[in-house]
Each structure stands twice: as structure tokens, then as C-alpha cells.
Amino acid sequence: MALPGLAISTDRGQLNGHGLEGFYRAGRRTLSRCQIRIAGREPLPVQARTTGADRARFVATARVSPGGGPDPDVVVERTRHADGTERITLHSAAVRPLRLPVEVALGTDLADLGAIASGRAGPELPASVHDSGLRWSCAAGAASVTADPPPSDALASAGLLRWEFDLPPGGTAGLELRVRLDGAGRVRAVGRAATSPLASARATGDHPAIRPLLDTSIDDLQSLLVRDPAHPTDTHLAAGAPWRCGLAPADALVAARMTLPLGTRLAAGTLRTLARTQLRGQTAQSGMIPGPRRDAGAHLPAGCTGTEATLLFPALLAEASRWGLSQQETEELLPAAERCLRWLRAAVGEGTYLCDPQPGGPVRCETQAHAHRAAVLGADLLDTFHRPGGAALRQWARELRSAFREEFWVEDRGGGRPATARAPDGRLVPQLGAAAVHLLDTGLLGGGEQAPGLLDRAQTEQLARLLGSPVMDSGWGLRGLGTKEAGYNPFGHRTGAVRVHETSIAVSGLAAAGYEKEAGSLLRGLLAAAETFGHRLPEMYAGEQRTDGSAPLPHPAACRPAATAAAAGVLLLSALAGIRPDAPAGTVTLRPVRSAPLGEIGLTGLRVAGAPFSVRVSRLGLAMVEEAAGGLQLRS
């Protein structure tokens, strides 16, 4: 994947036109079938490997010499790029010269991804010979495949290109196919350019998963970067492939916040892009950042991701300023943040809680956590820039904390739990789920201090105990719903599956609150899962219990790569170092995880206050800054 380019295939390498297979450009399938035959036979696949977020390598073998025995005498290597390029290389292992007839069968329907996913794709289109390859066209557009070297024969009726290669013993021959959508130039992936907003950080350490996790996370994030067409200097992250290659406001903000250790440019581009979508006028929705509804499982109606995005906006701006976003950029974005905060106060009205969706929806636990963080961090931001409204936001936040601790806690013989929600009639929805982790994500204030949370100390300790119990901790990460709750389903994307970004938020929040045992267990489980997924964590996977010799079960509807899952790798490792910058004050505080659950860890190439930042945490849990901006003072 290298948006707007995408390639999907099985590990056999051949594109047979089944399901989602094919090359895509901006959501349209430019090629659905690309089948290779050597001397009239399909090669035998032996290995498939993703060598980067934007490319994969497939190796197959063929036997073409008569009476040659069981050993293959031709190795077929295919290197497939998301930009629509495929390189096919033939290596001879024969002792005699070979004349190899090679055929490539091509076809496409030029269907869009949504139609393919819902089973509405049409038949393959007829081809015509074009330049050094084939071309297909329909009312929606046209696409072509060109070959280098040109084929010796092209049969449009069969969608077939043919070559004959003469290979001496040990010799090599190759060809390259280039898939293009008419009217579109070569794919120029944002993340592959020198202007990428993400720093190329690196990780080292005792645990073997540390380095590949961060490398793959950053590689995947680069592949998901998208430019705002009307404002090409602004970039944001698409939600994930293959289902959500467009802008999902809440996901983009969550991922940008988790990647602040890689610099503030992505946060700034995301905030500017979403500020342009903000609703204006004199309506009840004025100030909101619009977003679609999202299923919330069996116990609650669908929630509005626009509510979450609107509350995330001022929090991200406040924290980006702490990490080093310039005063000028912060001030330019401040009016949009103020509109978000005014919407929050208007939506709450004379009450205490924020319901979602507006109006008349349930009062969700995580919505109160997002709203409280927005109010506290937003008030801090307003005060810093001498804007009015900070005092009123802090007063409401205090009232919300007091009410939440009394009215959102479900007492039981096990010590109690935070409710998932309050129904419109006031009834508590008591199910224990991963939404509660947002109560631990309080946000960063000045001087390296964490913002206050909605729970008191005793309630936080009880929540930590629950999150660390086998009911919630699957051994691979945090389940979306406890195993003892009605409706638990290990594959339920809100009712039991492990959602990677929620697990990473739990690890970060538990570590910041001092519950390192529970944080370490979830962290090690997530890293073990990452290794089974080749360090490219999917958006979610089944929450079945980990046992000896088992592996996490993939979720068939999960995006992979996904922006929030890739960004989770950055958050997990930076949380181990406990980096808490305050760039306006010229300080950085380090609160590392003292138990050092992964042993020694080193992070280089991060960005704090606009300059490279490197830190090392020893096996004793002691942190040392190895590189930082000039004048940046260390606090502990």
C-alpha cells in the first residue's frame, strides 16, 4: 500500500480476479487478473513476503526440462509494488540453455472497491491492444498495462501477452508490467517523499520485537498518508486498507495524537484539514467536526464519531503545542478549537453529562472521558493564549468529576466497576468493556504533569485490577468486552475482539498511573501478537485466550495496515520511556516504566521541540537523554 495505490493478492502471487484481488488506484480496480504461465504451466509458489508497506515479493519455481527429475530448473520472482508496477524475473538453474515461452493473462472490470466488497462488480471488460500492452475502458474510465520489453505477441480477445526468452545456464531474464489509470499520473506516495511529516525514528533494545515493531509501524504510517487535494501541503492518515482508504476524522486525530513523538507536522496537517470541515452557522451542531455513525455493539446504539472528533480536536492541539507545534500554527488553529469547546458547552447545556449522539442519546463512559480531557486541556490552551472561557471549562470539569465518581460507578462484590453508559432513563449499563481505558487517558498538561482523571485513586486501582484480569486480558491484548458479560463474542469488533489502539491506550494509561504490572502484561501480549502478524498489527483480531503454542486469530473485517494500529506501536514504545515534553517552557520530563518490562530500550530520531530527540531506558528503569534540542532542560 502507498496511497492512492493499493495491491491485494493471496500469498500465491497470481492475481486471479477472485474477491478483492487486484491493483487499485484511488479506490478503483485497475487490474484484477495477472496470471503467469511458464512453458504453458503455472509456476509452483514457494514463498510470499511483504518486504515493505508498499511492496511484496513472491517466489515460485517451474520444471521445464524434459526428464529433469524432481528439481526445479527455473525460479520465478515477482516483485509487486503498490504504485502499479510488477517486475517478473526468471532465473535459470538448468545445465543446458533454455528457450522459455512466457505468457501473462490480464483482465479487469474497472470496478470501484465498494462495489467489489458488496459483490456488485461486473464481468471483465474486453481488451484492446494498446502501445506495448493492453487497454480496457468503460463509462467510469480506462486503464492500461504496458510491458517492457514489449511482448512478441498480444492477443486482445484473450487478454494475453507473450514472450520467448533464451536463458543460458545460470542466466536471467525479466520483464516489467506497469498498470496505469487513464488521466492519472504515476503514484507519488506522500510518505515516500522527502517531505513526509513523520520522522524516521528507530528503536533498539533487549526485546527482539522492539525494532521491527517501530520500523513496520512507521512504514505503514507512511503508506497511509494522504494529501488534502485542495491544500497539498496538509497531510493526514487514511483509516486503513482495504476498506477505509479515505478520511475518518476520529481515527485520523487519534493516530496523529499517538504519533506526536515523530513530530507535530502530521498533527498540524490533520487539524487544518478537519478545521475546514467544521460546521458553521447558528445551529445546534455549529462547531462540530462531522463524522459517521459507528456501531457500538449489542448493549448500546451506534455512536457518532463526529462527537469524538470534535472533542479530540482541542486536546490534540493542546498536546501538539507541548510537543513543539509553533506558537504561530497553534494560534492559527485556536479559533477552530474554540468552536469545538463552545459546541461542547452548548451540548451539555445546564446538565452535567454529554450524551452521544445528540440529542437524547445515552451518556457513554468514553464520551465523558473525551469531553473531560477536552475541557481540561482546552482550558489550559485558552489560558496560555489569553483567551476567555478557561475558568468555565475547569468549573464544568470539576462538576463532571464529582458526579461521575458518584453516579457512574457500579458497586458489586468484586469491588465495583465503571459503567459502560447511562441510558436516557438514568439506568446504568454495567458491562465491563475496553471503552473504560479512555478513563486512564487523561492528557498532558504543562510541566510534564498528567491532567486529572474522572476516577479517584481507589477507582483507578480497581479499574487497573479489572483490566489486568483474565476476563479482559486475553494474553494477546485487551478484549473489547469481558468474557463474563452477556453478548461476549471473541470476534465481535465491539464485543470481545482485541482492538490494538485501545490496548495501547490501556498500556500507556496504566503505566502513567503507576500500575506497571498490568501495563507490562498487556504490552508483552501485544508484542507477541505483533510477531505472529509479521509486526504489522491489524486493526483488531479475535480475543480468544492465549495458550501454549497458539496464535491470535485474524479478524476477517480488520484493516491491515490501519492508522490507529500502526500509530499504537509509536505510543507503546514512547510510553515506556515516559516522555512528557513542554516545549513552550523548554523542558522535558521523563517518567519511564521503572520495571523495564522489555529490558533496555533505546529510541533515536524522535522529535521534541522541533529537534531530534533520543532517549535510552536501562534495565533498571532509569532514563537518559542522548540527544535533544539545545536549551531543552530535563526534569524527572
Side-chain angles (χ1 to χ4, degrees):
M1 182 173 187
L3 290 179
L6 174 67
I8 302 173
S9 73
T10 71
D11 58 4
R12 299 184 67 82
Q14 298 277 48
L15 294 178
N16 296 308
H18 300 154
L20 291 169
E21 290 181 3
F23 282 95
Y24 292 81
R25 175 72 183 266
R28 184 164 301 281
R29 182 155 63 182
T30 53
L31 190 69
S32 58
R33 193 163 50 87
C34 182
Q35 301 160 318
I36 298 173
R37 286 188 286 271
I38 309 295
R41 298 179 180 178
E42 283 197 22
L44 179 68
V46 294
Q47 187 187 73
R49 191 164 63 91
T50 300
T51 57
D54 63 337
R55 58 199 178 277
R57 177 177 179 263
F58 304 90
V59 179
T61 62
R63 284 187 295 156
V64 297
S65 299
D71 297 336
D73 44 17
V74 176
V75 177
V76 184
E77 181 180 349
R78 304 172 72 168
T79 304
R80 181 170 296 148
H81 292 260
D83 66 359
T85 304
E86 179 153 338
R87 179 73 184 174
I88 302 165
T89 306
L90 309 172
H91 305 276
S92 173
V95 296
R96 293 185 296 273
L98 296 177
R99 168 157 286 194
L100 288 182
V102 176
E103 295 180 341
V104 178
L106 304 168
T108 190
D109 49 17
L110 288 176
D112 67 74
L113 183 60
I116 298 165
S118 59
R120 295 182 287 107
E124 282 192 1
L125 298 168
S128 59
V129 175
H130 173 75
D131 196 8
S132 58
L134 300 174
R135 186 173 185 271
W136 301 263
S137 62
C138 67
S144 62
V145 172
T146 56
D148 182 23
S152 56
D153 193 12
L155 300 177
S157 59
L160 202 63
L161 304 180
R162 290 174 173 165
W163 295 260
E164 280 202 359
F165 294 104
D166 290 311
L167 269 67
T172 297
L175 63 97
E176 186 173 88
L177 303 174
R178 293 180 294 276
V179 186
R180 295 288 181 267
L181 186 67
D182 279 18
R186 184 180 178 87
V187 172
R188 301 179 66 85
V190 179
R192 306 299 156 190
T195 55
S196 170
L198 299 171
S200 298
R202 291 291 180 266
T204 58
D206 292 336
H207 196 289
I210 290 174
R211 180 172 182 172
L213 176 66
L214 186 60
D215 287 350
T216 305
S217 294
I218 295 175
D219 201 23
D220 284 345
L221 290 166
Q222 304 277 28
S223 76
L224 289 164
L225 285 169
V226 179
R227 293 190 190 278
D228 184 332
H231 300 82
T233 59
D234 291 340
T235 56
H236 62 270
L237 289 166
W243 316 109
R244 298 194 296 156
C245 291
L247 174 61
D251 290 53
L253 288 164
V254 167
R257 184 171 173 237
M258 290 196 289
T259 57
L260 283 172
L262 303 180
T264 60
R265 290 174 55 203
L266 175 61
T270 303
L271 290 167
R272 283 193 290 264
T273 298
L274 291 175
R276 292 189 282 269
T277 73
Q278 194 172 36
L279 300 178
R280 308 293 182 91
Q282 302 299 317
T283 69
Q285 292 184 319
S286 177
M288 279 197 78
I289 294 170
R293 295 287 178 95
R294 178 172 60 199
D295 179 62
H299 302 292
L300 291 170
C304 177
T305 60
T307 300
E308 183 179 352
T310 306
L311 300 173
L312 281 167
F313 190 102
L316 174 58
L317 180 60
E319 290 188 324
S321 175
R322 296 292 173 200
W323 279 89
L325 185 66
S326 71
Q327 180 175 336
Q328 178 183 345
E329 287 183 293
T330 305
E331 284 189 291
E332 289 172 353
L333 288 161
L334 193 54
E338 288 180 294
R339 289 190 288 270
C340 292
L341 295 169
R342 284 197 294 270
W343 171 85
L344 167 60
R345 295 296 293 125
V348 171
E350 297 300 318
T352 303
Y353 299 115
L354 176 65
C355 64
D356 176 49
Q358 289 277 332
V363 177
R364 302 171 195 266
C365 168
E366 69 268 31
T367 302
Q368 310 321 301
H370 296 323
H372 182 264
R373 183 178 60 233
V376 175
L377 270 61
D380 194 56
L381 189 65
L382 294 176
D383 289 354
T384 299
F385 287 89
H386 309 292
R387 301 291 186 97
L393 285 167
R394 285 195 184 88
Q395 177 60 31
W396 173 74
R398 285 192 291 268
E399 294 170 1
L400 177 60
R401 283 199 297 274
S402 178
F404 191 93
R405 292 170 183 180
E406 292 292 328
E407 301 173 0
F408 244 87
W409 193 257
V410 180
E411 296 290 352
D412 58 32
R413 288 179 294 180
R417 64 178 67 181
T420 296
R422 288 174 64 92
D425 61 6
R427 174 181 52 86
L428 290 179
V429 181
Q431 280 73 24
L432 175 64
V437 304
H438 298 287
L439 296 170
L440 301 170
D441 182 17
T442 59
L444 181 66
L445 293 175
E449 295 300 316
Q450 294 290 112
L454 285 176
L455 300 180
D456 61 29
R457 185 65 185 179
Q459 290 171 333
T460 302
E461 183 174 349
Q462 172 64 1
L463 177 58
R465 188 185 68 81
L466 292 171
L467 296 178
S469 71
V471 167
M472 291 296 294
D473 185 353
S474 70
W476 300 114
L478 195 70
R479 295 184 177 93
L481 187 68
T483 56
K484 295 182 180 180
E485 305 298 330
Y488 166 73
N489 172 5
F491 280 96
H493 70 291
R494 298 286 170 184
T495 55
V498 173
R499 298 183 67 82
V500 169
H501 92 276
E502 285 179 336
T503 301
S504 68
I505 289 171
V507 170
S508 176
L510 288 166
Y515 300 101
E516 296 187 0
K517 177 183 176 183
E518 292 82 1
S521 176
L522 289 170
L523 171 62
R524 286 187 291 269
L526 206 55
L527 287 179
E531 290 184 89
T532 69
F533 286 111
H535 305 284
R536 172 183 269 184
L537 280 163
E539 174 188 16
M540 59 184 167
Y541 45 87
E544 289 197 336
Q545 188 63 39
R546 181 180 179 182
T547 58
D548 289 343
S550 68
L553 296 175
H555 194 293
C559 287
R560 182 172 176 262
T564 54
V570 180
L571 176 63
L572 287 168
L573 298 182
S574 59
L576 285 176
I579 306 168
R580 301 182 184 181
D582 188 350
T587 65
V588 61
T589 302
L590 296 181
R591 298 281 173 80
V593 178
R594 297 294 184 180
S595 58
L598 303 182
E600 183 174 295
I601 177 174
L603 300 173
T604 60
L606 303 177
R607 305 287 292 187
V608 173
F613 184 84
S614 301
V615 62
R616 184 167 300 278
V617 180
S618 73
R619 298 181 184 93
L620 299 177
L622 302 176
M624 179 176 66
V625 173
E626 297 184 331
E627 183 182 23
L632 192 66
Q633 295 183 347
L634 176 64
R635 298 179 56 177
S636 59

